[in-house]
Amino acid sequence: MTSPVRLALLGCGTVGSDVVRLLHEQSADLAARIGAPLEIAGIAVRRVGRDRGDLPVDPALFTTDPLGLIKRDDVDVVVEVVGGIEPARTWLVEALRAGKSVVTANKALLAEDGATLHDAAAEGGADLYYEASVAGAIPLLRPLRESLHGDRINRVTGIVNGTTNFILSAMDATGAGFAEALEEATELGYAEADPTADVEGFDAAAKAAILASLAFHTRVTAADVHREGITEVTAADVASAKAMGCTIKLLCIAARGADAAGRETVSVRVHPAMIPLAHPLAGVGDAFNAVFVEAEAAGQLMFYGRGAGGAPTASAVLGDVVAVARNRLAGVHAASESAYADLPVRPMGEALTRYHVSLDVADRPGVLEAVAGVFARHEVSIATVRQGPAGGGSDAELVIVTHVAPDAALAATVGELRGLDIVRSVTSVLRVEGGA
Ligand code: NDP
Ligand code: HSE
């Protein structure tokens, strides 16, 4: 057996501690698969004295000096499971430029400034692997960047945030409140250090940028992604979705399209949407993730599994560690970033969507005509209208579902409806996806 491949582990929290556990439990198998044992050279954390339970690791390995650890001559591979933009970017650039391969779960950094990491990897002749950054345990990025490289991907639709899926599933199944479900997701280790990143859609937007970059061979950053979170989804929305035979999911949708001049574009968005119960993504509950990939030759592919949590994410991290360790022993590197297509990102206003709009309106003659007129003025075609009694005695509830129209036209329609006297309130506005 050749000499060990030595790892610097940056971070030993939810994910890092399971990386340590799996490295310990599977050391013999991992060594046999790689052809050399894996050894932890050091573990950088914020608090060396923190109680880490019965973690099977020598306490002398802990340090608060990540940069010093990365620079050590006996470190071959850097595994980053800390998160955030800085100082993680500085650490990883340092490692990559020094020719040390990097495995990271840091979607926020990859989506904010993946270009700098890819450039540093090319400069240092090092591998940059990040399977755990999107959809936890699900093998998804490797299929996109390797298995599907002979095909042309047209669309990627997915549930890529475990915390929000856990919350929406709980609201739908048990009527649980938002705050209560978020607290449980945090206790289970699904949520980000700041759960705003989950519930406001930042985490899913970062993952959407990573997926779109790989699927469309184009550098897409988090800033290019239209983002809406789930904080405004109410129990009434959930009930309204149920009444329509739908459920609400936080979706990430990345698609090829064309602009008015016929030039190819990409659009990338994250927002809550109603989908029919018959849709395969509707049954994805708890903190599970699922991603649909539609490719020209392969057709529809679906990837499903645990999208968050220590052990599932550590599984993806270790898969990458095995890959970079093997590459290192073989003296080869993975293919570098593929961003040759460089497609422009289309504004959200041009995205084609459908809307579900609930209105509390005055219950008197001419109201339906006036409301329908607003939709007509913005060239938004109505698919269905349902009227029922609303809260107040002289009010009615109108639920309107539209046909597909540009998002800007739908938004303008809702804006004008809000200004009408006969509309007491616009109680809910949700996009509808997937044939509902
Ligand atoms: P945690 O907050 O549980 O752990 C963070 C770790 O980083 C802790 O060990 C902490 O040290 C250490 N740390 C924080 N700041 C510093 C610093 N300045 N210098 C050195 N060490 C530092 O995070 P997670 O394990 O949940 O997440 C880690 C990464 O994995 C993030 O990028 C996250 O987005 C990603 N990820 C997480 C998933 C999950 O389900 N949790 C799933 C997929 C990806 P200390 O222990 O002393 O506090
Ligand atoms: N906070 C993230 C989630 C962790 O809930 O999906 C996995 O990336």
Side-chain angles (χ1 to χ4, degrees), residues 10-16 44-48 50 52 64 66 80-84 87 91 105-107 132-133 136 189-193 203 307-310 313:
L10 313 182
C12 192
T14 304
V15 179
V45 291
R46 197 170 27 191
R47 298 158 289 173
V48 165
R50 179 180 172 186
R52 295 177 200 277
T64 52
E80 187 264 318
V81 281
V82 170
W91 300 336
N106 193 335
K107 56 261 171 154
S133 65
Y190 303 149
E192 294 302 299
D203 178 79
T313 309

Side-chain angles (χ1 to χ4, degrees), residues 82-169:
V82 170
I85 310 300
E86 284 294 351
R89 175 172 41 201
T90 302
W91 300 336
L92 299 193
V93 166
E94 172 73 31
L96 291 163
R97 284 196 183 137
K100 301 182 183 193
S101 295
V102 162
V103 172
T104 177
N106 193 335
K107 56 261 171 154
L109 175 55
L110 282 154
E112 166 96 7
D113 195 12
T116 295
L117 298 187
H118 284 293
D119 291 349
E123 206 179 303
D127 281 342
L128 171 62
Y129 275 57
Y130 45 96
E131 184 66 63
S133 65
V134 182
I138 308 173
L140 175 63
L141 304 194
R142 203 85 56 87
L144 289 179
R145 76 181 196 177
E146 292 177 12
S147 323
L148 286 163
H149 253 209
D151 209 334
R152 176 185 160 88
I153 295 172
N154 289 323
R155 189 177 168 97
V156 179
T157 311
I159 295 171
V160 292
N161 182 268
T163 303
T164 47
N165 203 47
F166 184 88
I167 294 169
L168 291 173
S169 303

Side-chain angles (χ1 to χ4, degrees), residues 180-205:
E180 175 195 346
L182 173 58
E183 199 179 317
E184 202 180 338
T186 305
E187 271 165 28
L188 289 166
Y190 303 149
E192 294 302 299
D194 174 4
T196 311
D198 297 295
V199 297
E200 293 292 0
F202 291 101
D203 178 79

Side-chain angles (χ1 to χ4, degrees), residues 169-311:
S169 303
M171 285 170 78
D172 187 89
T174 65
F178 184 93
E180 175 195 346
L182 173 58
E183 199 179 317
E184 202 180 338
T186 305
E187 271 165 28
L188 289 166
Y190 303 149
E192 294 302 299
D194 174 4
T196 311
D198 297 295
V199 297
E200 293 292 0
F202 291 101
D203 178 79
K207 291 165 176 168
I210 295 169
L211 289 175
S213 299
L214 291 173
F216 307 126
H217 306 273
T218 290
R219 281 182 173 172
V220 178
T221 68
D224 295 321
V225 181
H226 173 86
R227 174 198 54 79
E228 292 169 35
I230 64 161
T231 48
E232 303 205 339
V233 176
T234 62
D237 291 332
V238 173
S240 185
K242 267 191 179 161
M244 274 181 62
C246 290
T247 187
I248 299 174
K249 296 289 183 191
L250 182 70
L251 294 187
C252 121
I253 301 169
R256 272 184 207 274
D259 65 13
R263 281 180 306 236
E264 198 165 46
T265 59
V266 295
S267 66
V268 195
R269 52 195 164 106
V270 164
H271 54 70
M274 285 189 179
I275 54 172
L277 291 176
H279 191 286
L281 290 178
V284 177
D286 202 66
F288 280 83
N289 284 187
V291 177
F292 250 143
V293 177
E294 294 168 55
E296 202 86 38
Q300 291 186 334
L301 304 160
M302 180 141 164
F303 299 82
Y304 171 83
R306 289 200 179 275

